[in-house]
Every structure is written in C-alpha cells, then in structure tokens.
Amino acid sequence: MASALSRHGWVSAVRNVFASPTKTVTACRTAVCSSSGAILPKPKKTPFGLWRIAAVVVPFLYVGTRISKNFAELLEEHDIFVPEDDDDDD
C-alpha cells in the first residue's frame, strides 16, 4: 500500500513538472470528441442480419467439423485412440 501511494505521488510530481502552467489539457477520446472538444455525432450502425451471421458461421462450422473428423481418423489409423464398442451402457 505504501509503495503504491509513493508511486502515485511520484507520478503526480512528474506530471506537475512537465505540465505547462499556461496550457490546459482537456481529456478527450478521439472516438468520442473532436480535437476542439466537441462531441461527435453517433456513428452509422450497420445492421447484421441473419444472412450475414449464417454466411460466417456455417462455413467455419463446416471447416471445423471436417478438421475434427480428419484428425479423429488420423488418430484411429495410427492406433493412438481407438473407440471401443464395449462402452455402451444400453
């Protein structure tokens, strides 16, 4: 706790040394405010429809399924992992 307070005191002292007394600094994020400090208008929203979501999800889901299937076949081929049929608890 003491080190955090002393570190904070050191940082504020450094800020005071480097801050110009004639220039005021306005805290402003460039995504929200302009360089003059004015608030920017709301950004244009792009609606994501079901077609766009499906166009992204379905191909990557298919590719992931194919990779998993090929890797399972590779493991089975090299006898690293072979599922047993005796594990059925019916």
Side-chain angles (χ1 to χ4, degrees), residues 15-81:
R15 282 188 190 153
N16 291 338
V17 168
F18 289 114
S20 173
T22 59
K23 184 178 179 183
T24 59
V25 178
T26 305
C28 184
R29 292 179 43 193
T30 58
V32 180
C33 300
S34 66
S35 60
S36 65
I39 297 174
L40 296 174
K42 284 187 176 182
K44 182 181 172 186
K45 257 190 167 178
T46 305
F48 288 102
L50 283 176
W51 290 110
R52 290 184 185 181
I53 294 171
V56 172
V57 170
V58 170
F60 284 103
L61 193 61
Y62 177 74
V63 168
T65 304
R66 296 296 298 180
I67 291 171
S68 297
K69 182 180 175 186
N70 290 339
F71 191 69
E73 289 173 0
L74 178 81
L75 290 176
E76 218 173 304
E77 179 182 329
H78 293 288
D79 292 329
I80 297 172
F81 177 75

